[in-house]
């Protein structure tokens, strides 16, 4: 058991605790429906008749499908205008709309003084935006957009609002960390995690990085090393679900691979760069890492919805990578590749909830110590025999299938085809059955 014993050998008195809701991954779309389609059509009809305020009110009704209480709208019928507030992550976006003008603003950070490096950075970032721009008012840096209402259709307004809100939320921690003269502002939206969850996540951030370093020493194949590193990045992004600086550093590590050039054969250099970023994360103190471990409400999803069938169409052919590990007698890499494949898809795609729920069984089975540390009651691993609990895993999968059978006809996940002989065998056979299920959608 080693270092995991503190998580696996919980006292029986804790067994009565209810499993808490823990956030995993990024906020994603759940798919459209007839109601939301109808709202969008009504938006366009109002706009085409130059009834701009009515168009925007209808649009906010549509957005509340995603953001719920994170959006507040106040209508002023006397002058035919409205004001709104929405929360995206750690940032609050405020705006006003009349029949003549649209104005939106999100305060990003305040400052004690400006310098050339900061101004150059803001100007560079401005060139990357399609709709909004950085502006300085007093001692506050904001992202803003102001334009005539006739020039901003509901669809364009939604895209603008998404760009402004997501960038304001994503860049505030980066700016404050990079420039000492900046001060965080409007961070009341942050919901801090329970101490036990933070401690568990800090422990496993370091644990999984150490495991990755050891795995990298077992192979000289640079492609294999890349998959080992990607698996770590995706795993941290999904299971740890960081915000702020840690989120940006992990994304930076992943996007470093964009510098890869097969003709130049620079894979060793790319892998080294990715690991240097990760080693920088490992060198941080617990206090520094904990600053990125929180959760926040949001309106705009980061991931676009992908139907179950399309998820499987992408995943199934890649299972050949697992066969290659089996042929090479690298059972340890079977788990790595399976987690890489799942993590990659959850990093890039918003999935239907049935797929997300089933894949959580996958993660819980392969990382039981982590989920015990988070407070999950049901454990899919016997710490005494070091064997998977086949009955409990099968029961959880059957429970999920029964629940979603109310919404989908003919659901079938054959747990008899799962191999519980090892975590590697389970991971591979689970993904095979997952693909069989998804291909029926």
């Amino acid at each position: 058991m080693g270092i995991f014993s503190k998580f696996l050998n919980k006292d029986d008195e804790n067994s009565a605790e209810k499993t808490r809701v823990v956030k995993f991954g990024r906020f994603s779309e759940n798919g459209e429906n007839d109601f939301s389609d109808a709202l969008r059509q009504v938006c366009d009809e109002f706009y085409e008749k130059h009834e701009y305020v009515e168009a925007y009110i209808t649009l906010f009704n549509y957005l509340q499908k995603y953001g719920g209480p994170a959006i507040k709208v106040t209508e002023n019928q006397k002058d035919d205008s409205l004001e709104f507030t929405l929360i995206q992550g750690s940032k609050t976006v405020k705006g006003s709309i009349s029949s003549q003008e649209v104005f939106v603003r999100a305060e990003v950070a305040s400052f004690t003084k400006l310098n050339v490096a900061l101004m150059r950075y803001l100007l560079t970032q401005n060139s990357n935006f399609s709709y909004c721009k950085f502006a300085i008012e007093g001692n506050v840096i904001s992202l803003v957009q102001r334009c005539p209402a006739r020039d901003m259709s509901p669809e364009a307004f939604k895209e603008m609002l998404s760009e402004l809100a997501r960038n304001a939320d994503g860049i505030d921690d980066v700016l404050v960390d990079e420039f000492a003269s900046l001060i965080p502002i409007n961070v009341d939206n942050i919901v801090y995690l329970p101490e036990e969850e933070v401690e568990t996540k800090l422990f496993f951030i370091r644990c999984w990085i150490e495991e990755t370093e050891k795995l990298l020493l077992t192979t000289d194949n640079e492609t294999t090393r890349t998959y080992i590193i990607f698996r770590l990045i995706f795993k941290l992004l999904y299971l740890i679900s960081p915000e702020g600086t840690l989120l940006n550093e992990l994304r930076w590590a992943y996007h470093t691979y964009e510098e890869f050039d097969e003709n130049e054969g620079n894979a060793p250099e790319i892998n080294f760069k990715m690991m240097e970023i990760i080693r920088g994360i490992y060198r941080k103190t617990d206090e520094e890492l904990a600053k990125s471990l929180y959760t926040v409400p949001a309106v705009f999803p980061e991931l676009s919805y992908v139907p179950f069938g399309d998820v499987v169409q992408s995943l199934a052919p890649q299972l050949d990578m697992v066969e290659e590990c089996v042929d090479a007698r690298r059972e340890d890499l079977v788990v790595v590749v399976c987690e890489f494949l799942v993590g990659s898809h959850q990093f890039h795609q918003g999935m239907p909830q049935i797929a997300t729920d089933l894949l959580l069984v996958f993660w819980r089975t392969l990382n039981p110590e982590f989920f015990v540390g988070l407070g999950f009651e049901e454990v899919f691993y016997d710490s005494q025999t070091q064997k998977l609990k086949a009955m409990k895993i099968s029961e959880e999968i059957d429970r999920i299938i029964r629940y979603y059978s109310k919404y989908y006809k003919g659901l079938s996940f054959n747990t008899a085809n799962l191999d519980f002989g090892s975590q590697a065998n389970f991971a591979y056979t689970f993904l095979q059955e997952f693909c069989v299920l998804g291909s029926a959608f």
Side-chain angles (χ1 to χ4, degrees):
M1 290 182 288
I3 59 174
F4 299 132
S5 59
K6 62 179 282 192
F7 294 107
L8 285 172
N9 294 325
K10 292 242 177 180
D11 295 336
D12 291 338
E13 64 184 13
N14 292 331
S15 62
E17 294 177 357
K18 293 184 178 180
T19 299
R20 292 185 297 101
V21 175
V22 180
K23 173 181 174 288
F24 297 107
R26 311 308 301 164
F27 181 32
S28 63
E29 291 178 338
N30 290 321
E32 296 288 350
N33 56 37
D34 293 340
F35 176 70
S36 59
D37 289 341
L39 280 176
R40 294 175 70 173
Q41 184 176 347
V42 172
C43 284
D44 293 336
E45 291 173 356
F46 277 127
Y47 183 78
E48 289 170 2
K49 291 188 294 185
H50 306 296
E51 297 179 21
Y52 302 126
V53 175
E54 287 295 331
Y56 289 123
I57 290 174
T58 308
L59 176 65
F60 279 113
N61 287 334
Y62 165 78
L63 291 176
Q64 283 177 328
K65 170 195 171 188
Y66 296 112
I71 298 179
K72 294 182 179 179
V73 182
T74 303
E75 184 179 2
N76 188 336
Q77 295 182 346
K78 289 184 178 180
D79 61 1
D80 192 26
S81 66
L82 63 86
E83 295 182 349
F84 68 89
T85 300
L86 70 84
I87 298 173
Q88 181 74 24
S90 62
K91 292 295 126 206
T92 299
V93 180
K94 297 182 178 181
S96 60
I97 298 171
S98 68
S99 56
Q100 288 79 40
E101 184 181 71
V102 173
F103 174 67
V104 184
R105 179 172 184 253
E107 295 182 346
V108 176
S110 63
F111 58 86
T112 54
K113 64 177 180 179
L114 291 174
N115 57 54
V116 174
L118 174 58
M119 293 298 292
R120 185 182 295 115
Y121 180 86
L122 297 178
L123 288 171
T124 300
Q125 289 297 313
N126 274 346
S127 65
N128 296 327
F129 299 140
S130 298
Y131 296 98
C132 57
K133 302 295 179 185
F134 277 113
I136 296 175
E137 302 173 77
N139 69 329
V140 175
I141 298 171
S142 302
L143 275 171
V144 300
Q145 166 60 267
R146 185 192 298 271
C147 73
R150 66 176 181 274
D151 295 337
M152 184 68 72
S153 69
E155 188 61 33
F157 178 82
K158 177 174 173 287
E159 292 179 7
M160 176 275 293
L161 203 55
S162 175
E163 177 187 86
L164 186 147
R166 288 188 296 106
N167 279 286
D169 174 47
I171 207 167
D172 58 340
D173 288 329
V174 177
L175 281 171
V176 171
D177 281 353
E178 184 72 21
F179 300 100
S181 62
L182 296 185
I183 304 168
I185 192 171
N186 296 339
V187 293
D188 296 338
N189 306 327
I190 290 176
V191 179
Y192 292 99
L193 304 179
E195 183 178 352
E196 183 181 58
E197 182 173 341
V198 172
E199 289 180 354
T200 297
K201 289 184 173 182
L202 290 173
F203 178 85
F204 280 94
I205 288 172
R206 301 193 186 283
C207 176
W208 291 333
I209 293 176
E210 291 170 0
E211 178 189 29
T212 298
E213 293 278 22
K214 293 176 182 177
L215 279 169
L216 290 174
L217 295 175
T218 67
T219 179
D220 293 326
N221 185 293
E222 292 297 337
T223 301
T224 301
R225 291 166 67 88
T226 298
Y227 289 135
I228 292 171
I229 298 169
F230 277 170
R231 174 260 203 153
L232 171 66
I233 293 172
F234 295 141
K235 189 169 182 173
L236 291 174
L237 285 169
Y238 188 75
L239 294 184
I240 302 300
S241 189
E243 301 288 343
T245 302
L246 181 54
L247 171 61
N248 284 287
E249 287 175 332
L250 289 169
R251 286 174 169 169
W252 177 31
Y254 170 70
H255 288 296
T256 298
Y257 189 74
E258 294 172 0
E259 301 174 17
F260 172 69
D261 188 326
E262 187 174 359
N263 294 326
E264 291 185 7
N266 64 342
E269 177 186 352
I270 298 301
N271 288 337
F272 177 79
K273 286 183 177 181
M274 288 194 292
M275 282 307 299
E276 279 301 288
I277 296 171
I278 290 168
R279 288 166 185 143
I281 292 172
Y282 187 86
R283 288 192 293 268
K284 291 178 181 287
T285 65
D286 284 354
E287 290 73 19
E288 289 172 321
L289 290 174
K291 290 179 181 178
S292 295
L293 301 181
Y294 57 85
T295 187
V296 285
V299 173
F300 294 103
E302 298 179 42
L303 301 177
S304 298
Y305 175 78
V306 177
F308 203 158
D310 292 349
V311 173
V312 166
Q313 192 172 9
S314 169
L315 175 62
Q318 294 180 296
L319 292 182
D320 289 344
M321 295 169 58
V322 183
E323 287 287 354
E324 294 174 7
C325 296
V326 173
D327 293 341
R329 298 183 180 180
R330 288 296 304 267
E331 184 173 291
D332 55 338
L333 293 185
V334 169
V335 173
V336 169
V337 170
C338 287
E339 288 192 339
F340 157 72
L341 292 174
V342 172
S344 174
H345 282 76
Q346 292 185 312
F347 174 73
H348 291 101
Q349 302 173 347
M351 300 180 184
Q353 194 60 45
I354 180 175
T356 301
D357 288 354
L358 285 170
L359 290 176
L360 187 59
V361 176
F362 168 91
W363 286 116
R364 289 176 62 184
T365 305
L366 299 183
N367 301 274
E369 306 90 355
F370 174 72
F371 284 91
V372 170
L374 292 182
F376 278 68
E377 281 184 347
E378 204 69 76
V379 181
F380 296 156
Y381 179 82
D382 189 320
S383 60
Q384 300 300 318
T385 63
Q386 298 189 12
K387 292 183 179 180
L388 301 180
K389 296 185 177 182
M391 187 67 70
K392 289 187 179 296
I393 296 170
S394 298
E395 288 174 353
E396 179 64 11
I397 293 173
D398 289 341
R399 183 194 66 78
I400 293 170
I401 295 300
R402 284 197 306 273
Y403 176 82
Y404 286 101
S405 292
K406 297 182 293 185
Y407 308 101
Y408 306 102
K409 293 183 179 180
L411 285 184
S412 178
F413 190 112
N414 193 350
T415 55
N417 289 336
L418 299 180
D419 185 338
F420 297 99
S422 68
Q423 288 181 317
N425 292 348
F426 168 81
Y428 185 30
T429 54
F430 176 92
L431 292 185
Q432 288 177 316
E433 288 304 307
F434 179 83
C435 288
V436 170
L437 173 67
S439 63
F441 277 72

